[in-house]
Amino acid sequence: MSHSKGKRRHFVSLPSQDNIVTDVEHPGAGGSSATSKCDDQPGLSVDTLPSPKSLGTSPGINPADEHGGLRRGLSTRQVQMIAIGGTIGTGLFLGTSKSLAQGGPGSMLIAYSIVGSIVYVTLLLLGEMATQYPVAGSFSTYAYRFFSPSYSFALSYNYWFNDAVSVASDLVAAQILLQFWTDWHPWVISLVFWVFLVVVNGVYVGAYGELEYWLASLKVATIAVFVIIGVMVNLGGNTSNEYIGGKNWRVGDAPFVGGFGGFARVFVTASFAYGGTESLGVTAGETKNPSKNMPRVVKAVFWRILIFYILSILLVGLNVPYNYPGLSTESTATSPFTIVFEMAGSRVAGSFVNTVVITSVLSAGNHALFTGTRVLYSLAVTKPVALAPRVFAWTTKRGVPLPALLATSSVSVVCFGSSHIGSGQLWSWLQNLVGVSNQITWLSIGLASWRFRKAWVSQGRPIEELKFRAGWTWPWGPYFVVSGQSAHRLIVQGWSSIFPEFSAVDFVSLYLEIPVVIVMWFGWIAICRLMKRSTHSDTTPANRGVSGVLDIVDLRTIDLTSDEYRDVVEDDEEEALRQKRISQGRRRFLWRIYYLAA
């Protein structure tokens, strides 16, 4: 396919059936073939649409009933802040309390740096595919298209569950944070938050984007102020007028509390904290001018996130001792950010920061609800057979998949059980579940990228034709992500649940999703084979797209051109306006700052 700019919008559609089907020659058919229904496994992507603003109908569903599918209503500034807002939230503001208490400042700083580096490379790999094929299904689509349709089935439901549980985790975190002021029925506030998030996401994607933009801006501003206050507190600007320096790195068992076991515990918490970066691929399906905007977002956002995390974690570890009373227990937790502001001498400031942290939790829940809804929607619009009930493919006239939204949000009702088992304990379990799910997703991105690059090269397409390429990650990037995540999941994270003593609850929460994904993967393969037998075919399939026991996609048959995004007139106009603003006029310097910050 030529990469010249067309004058219509061509969205990513489903992987060509040539990539994924197995022909079954029926006896007496004279060599003609009939495709097994199961071998037409549904993709995890959206169809090509005539409307330049819509993003998806599914075969077999009346487009009028679909109301035109999703809409590309997210601007560059909104997408960038969505990525920041979805990541900088509960994991940073509250999760660091658990990390600091269990692993100490040294383990926390090292673990967050290692996980951050792995996630950064993962984000670059995802950016290559998301720029070439911007679609709401994102990494699930890429796993389907380049790796294994059955594995993609398992991955998609795992990620949807991850987002649904993340909403519950954020609402439970809100209950914990409310204990800073009162113990009065915190579930009432969680219920109010839940209703608010559902209403915002049910209006229009632009409403979600704008809310996320301002909430994320508040978080970024708070972190900037925290860095300044944290430095002042460390140098003596605290209630004790005492220079702290590195004293808290030498308190008790610090800086490495609990030895390797404590270090291992921090890894899972770090995975939970960095979760959300991969949703850049999901927002690509509703991003304007993705060919230009996605590379900018990918290259800019994570450096900001990494800087925010490393600086914040360093200052938390310097100023707050790991044995601070009430920092992290089974019944409650206190945000280290709130503690630092209180150390500066202001209870009012502490209350203000706690309020900001609650809004951050709200933002993270908003983000998780959005991405989970889109993943469930993408499962319902697959063809020729949907992977989710067709009702989840229905959208409002403004492009909101309302049934998918309600289904995803309903899972968060688990947060109301926290009053019976303790908010702190429940939140710890949810952290483990979400953290492991994030790791599975990142590993899958590495697998999909490895296969994508291999297909691209094996079919003789020049790498210069890629709309975005992280050149310095070739060829080692996918291998680094896959090996890093595998070693992390199988070795490091389980150590804390086995040593020094075995904890059945922690072990289950850390490893439950791995066998679940495997069972779903092979279960879908088994279902397909049963369906294949129902066609009463007794001949050997002529494999055109999927091969082997694990139904691995044959890279030689993948069509790498038909589903690529083509720029349209609006894209050209937007890019021309941007270039004019930053290169001409008296305000070009201000525009450069705006685009850099936005």
Side-chain angles (χ1 to χ4, degrees):
M1 163 181 159
S2 171
H3 288 270
S4 59
K5 294 180 179 179
K7 299 303 178 185
R8 64 187 180 89
R9 192 181 297 274
H10 186 182
F11 298 104
V12 177
S13 65
L14 294 161
S16 170
Q17 290 185 9
D18 290 340
N19 305 340
I20 60 175
V21 301
T22 300
D23 286 350
V24 179
E25 295 182 1
H26 290 267
S32 63
S33 64
T35 303
S36 166
K37 183 177 181 180
C38 181
D39 291 323
D40 285 336
Q41 291 190 47
L44 298 174
S45 176
V46 291
D47 200 6
T48 302
L49 298 175
S51 169
K53 293 184 179 181
S54 62
L55 232 192
T57 59
S58 179
I61 302 179
N62 189 336
D65 296 335
E66 288 294 294
H67 295 303
L70 305 180
R71 308 297 176 92
R72 290 194 183 274
L74 298 177
S75 65
T76 309
R77 68 177 178 86
Q78 289 175 335
V79 172
Q80 288 192 10
M81 278 300 179
I82 285 170
I84 294 175
T87 304
I88 299 179
T90 312
L92 177 61
F93 287 119
L94 190 58
T96 45
S97 63
K98 179 181 177 182
S99 297
L100 182 59
Q102 293 184 339
S107 294
M108 183 171 65
L109 183 61
I110 294 174
Y112 276 71
S113 298
I114 293 175
V115 176
S117 64
I118 295 175
V119 175
Y120 176 56
V121 175
T122 304
L123 186 64
L124 291 175
L125 303 183
L126 178 61
E128 287 182 346
M129 296 182 287
T131 304
Q132 204 74 20
Y133 309 103
V135 58
S138 186
F139 42 83
S140 297
T141 302
Y142 310 140
Y144 174 92
R145 181 168 184 160
F146 301 112
F147 181 52
S148 165
S150 297
Y151 178 79
S152 178
F153 166 81
L155 172 65
S156 299
Y157 274 100
N158 171 76
Y159 192 74
W160 172 77
F161 177 74
N162 169 30
D163 282 323
V165 172
S166 292
V167 178
S169 174
D170 293 325
L171 293 177
V172 172
Q175 295 184 21
I176 295 172
L177 292 166
L178 285 169
Q179 294 177 18
F180 180 79
W181 296 296
T182 179
D183 292 327
W184 180 84
H185 302 305
W187 63 269
V188 174
I189 302 299
S190 288
L191 179 61
V192 172
F193 283 173
W194 180 84
V195 172
F196 176 72
L197 293 179
V198 172
V199 170
V200 168
N201 279 268
V203 176
Y204 174 58
V205 66
Y208 155 79
E210 200 62 27
L211 173 65
E212 194 60 28
Y213 176 80
W214 291 108
L215 288 178
S217 298
L218 179 61
K219 285 189 278 191
V220 171
T222 301
I223 292 177
V225 174
F226 170 79
V227 170
I228 297 173
I229 296 296
V231 171
M232 293 174 56
V233 166
N234 188 262
L235 295 178
N238 50 64
T239 53
S240 302
N241 294 320
E242 175 188 6
Y243 172 75
I244 298 175
K247 184 178 68 173
N248 289 323
W249 279 56
R250 300 186 295 271
V251 172
D253 295 331
F256 302 104
V257 177
F260 184 77
F263 180 72
R265 291 187 185 96
V266 177
F267 260 93
V268 180
T269 309
S271 298
F272 170 80
Y274 279 107
T277 51
E278 73 285 339
S279 61
L280 278 176
V282 179
T283 57
E286 294 172 81
T287 301
K288 299 176 182 177
N289 194 7
S291 295
K292 296 293 191 300
N293 288 334
M294 286 308 299
R296 291 179 183 133
V297 170
V298 168
K299 289 186 288 188
V301 166
F302 197 76
W303 281 115
R304 303 175 189 179
I305 294 173
L306 194 61
I307 291 172
F308 290 150
Y309 266 86
I310 298 304
L311 279 179
S312 299
I313 288 170
L314 176 62
L315 289 170
V316 164
L318 287 173
N319 292 322
V320 182
Y322 76 91
N323 54 3
Y324 187 91
L327 182 63
S328 179
T329 67
E330 291 188 359
S331 60
T332 186
T334 304
S335 171
F337 287 76
T338 302
I339 295 172
V340 170
F341 273 85
E342 285 191 313
M343 292 173 66
S346 174
R347 175 76 180 181
V348 174
S351 295
F352 170 76
V353 173
N354 205 61
T355 303
V356 172
V357 174
I358 290 177
T359 63
S360 300
V361 167
L362 189 65
S363 170
N366 186 37
H367 180 77
L369 185 58
F370 171 83
T371 53
T373 299
R374 268 54 185 180
V375 170
L376 185 56
Y377 168 84
S378 71
L379 287 167
V381 298
T382 56
K383 70 175 183 181
V385 180
L387 293 183
R390 291 290 192 184
V391 65
F392 297 129
W394 187 89
T395 64
T396 66
K397 292 182 179 180
R398 305 195 72 178
V400 177
L402 193 58
L405 169 64
L406 295 176
T408 304
S409 63
S410 64
V411 178
S412 61
V413 73
V414 71
C415 72
F416 301 124
S418 63
S419 59
H420 301 288
I421 63 177
S423 299
Q425 183 63 66
L426 176 63
W427 190 66
S428 179
W429 295 345
L430 295 177
Q431 261 193 307
N432 289 343
L433 288 172
V434 175
V436 174
S437 182
N438 289 336
Q439 295 163 15
I440 293 174
T441 299
W442 298 333
L443 183 144
S444 303
I445 292 171
L447 287 173
S449 175
W450 166 51
R451 302 277 295 174
F452 163 67
R453 290 180 172 189
K454 186 175 181 180
W456 194 272
V457 173
S458 65
Q459 293 191 23
R461 289 196 64 175
I463 57 177
E464 291 77 18
E465 288 187 5
L466 289 170
K467 295 177 182 293
F468 167 66
R469 177 169 64 96
W472 65 276
T473 67
W474 285 64
W476 59 270
Y479 307 107
F480 171 72
V481 171
V482 172
S483 61
Q485 288 298 338
S486 298
H488 178 191
R489 278 197 346 218
L490 298 178
I491 301 174
V492 178
Q493 73 181 17
W495 185 277
S496 60
S497 64
I498 300 175
F499 301 99
E501 62 182 39
F502 179 74
S503 172
V505 173
D506 288 341
F507 184 85
V508 170
S509 64
L510 288 171
Y511 284 103
L512 175 64
E513 291 193 57
I514 297 176
V516 168
V517 168
I518 294 174
V519 168
M520 292 182 69
W521 182 3
F522 285 92
W524 184 251
I525 294 175
I527 292 172
C528 286
R529 289 180 178 173
L530 289 174
M531 293 174 65
K532 189 185 299 180
R533 291 174 185 172
S534 69
T535 64
H536 305 292
S537 170
D538 58 0
T539 60
T540 302
N543 191 346
R544 289 180 12 208
V546 178
S547 62
V549 176
L550 303 181
D551 99 60
I552 304 300
V553 171
D554 186 352
L555 300 180
R556 296 169 298 178
T557 62
I558 294 176
D559 186 349
L560 294 174
T561 61
S562 63
D563 298 331
E564 293 174 311
Y565 177 82
R566 296 177 184 174
D567 296 331
V568 295
V569 174
E570 293 91 338
D571 297 338
D572 298 338
E573 292 175 347
E574 180 181 302
E575 184 62 21
L577 178 61
R578 176 190 176 99
Q579 295 302 323
K580 180 179 179 181
R581 284 173 170 174
I582 64 177
S583 61
Q584 301 177 19
R586 291 176 296 178
R587 291 184 294 222
R588 61 181 180 275
F589 180 71
L590 296 177
W591 278 115
R592 290 175 184 173
I593 295 176
Y594 169 79
Y595 283 119
L596 182 64

